[in-house]
Amino acid sequence: QVQLVESGGGYVQAGGSLRLSCAASGRIFSINAMGWYRQAPGKQRELVAVITSGGSANYAGSVKGRFAISRDNAKNTVYLQMNSLKPEDTAVYYCNAEGVNTRVVFRDYWGQGTQVTVSS
């Protein structure tokens, strides 16, 4: 059984920083890509950033230059450093592991979500 456990969300004033972490546990052989999505109230879930096992990263335009995604393949953990936070960054942030290979199944997994609230 694969689980994604997120941590690091919270409340911060505009201009502040937060760091999210997501650790995948279980009998994991490999993970293709890991990323962060977010969903604000009344809006659809959107991609924030994604990073491949080789370290290639892509970002949503709205966070480029402010957020940085990184990954520790040995620990099956992905991080999201969020700087210069804005009120519009307020959302529930979800961790995603794409193409998780356990040698039994090959599928995607989602974390439970962590709330990020940025006050103006």
Side-chain angles (χ1 to χ4, degrees):
Q1 183 75 5
V2 174
Q3 287 187 320
L4 302 185
V5 178
E6 300 144 339
S7 61
Y11 181 94
V12 66
Q13 288 190 330
S17 298
L18 285 173
R19 188 185 192 222
L20 305 182
S21 299
C22 171
S25 63
R27 295 193 171 198
I28 298 171
F29 176 69
S30 64
I31 304 175
N32 282 352
M34 299 187 77
W36 292 93
Y37 291 71
R38 67 186 181 187
Q39 187 167 18
K43 295 188 177 182
Q44 288 189 329
R45 190 173 297 189
E46 62 176 1
L47 173 69
V48 176
V50 63
I51 185 168
T52 68
S53 57
S56 295
N58 282 301
Y59 298 90
S62 60
V63 307
K64 200 172 291 186
R66 299 188 298 121
F67 291 10
I69 190 169
S70 60
R71 177 174 172 174
D72 185 333
N73 290 331
K75 296 181 179 179
N76 290 322
T77 299
V78 64
Y79 307 94
L80 185 68
Q81 178 65 43
M82 303 185 294
N83 300 325
S84 302
L85 282 160
K86 304 175 181 179
E88 51 263 44
D89 295 317
T90 295
V92 178
Y93 284 69
Y94 295 92
C95 176
N96 172 262
E98 176 187 316
V100 179
N101 182 1
T102 65
R103 295 188 185 266
V104 175
V105 296
F106 185 85
R107 53 162 286 189
D108 299 349
Y109 291 87
W110 288 91
Q112 79 285 357
T114 185
Q115 177 70 46
V116 171
T117 302
V118 185
S119 66
S120 57

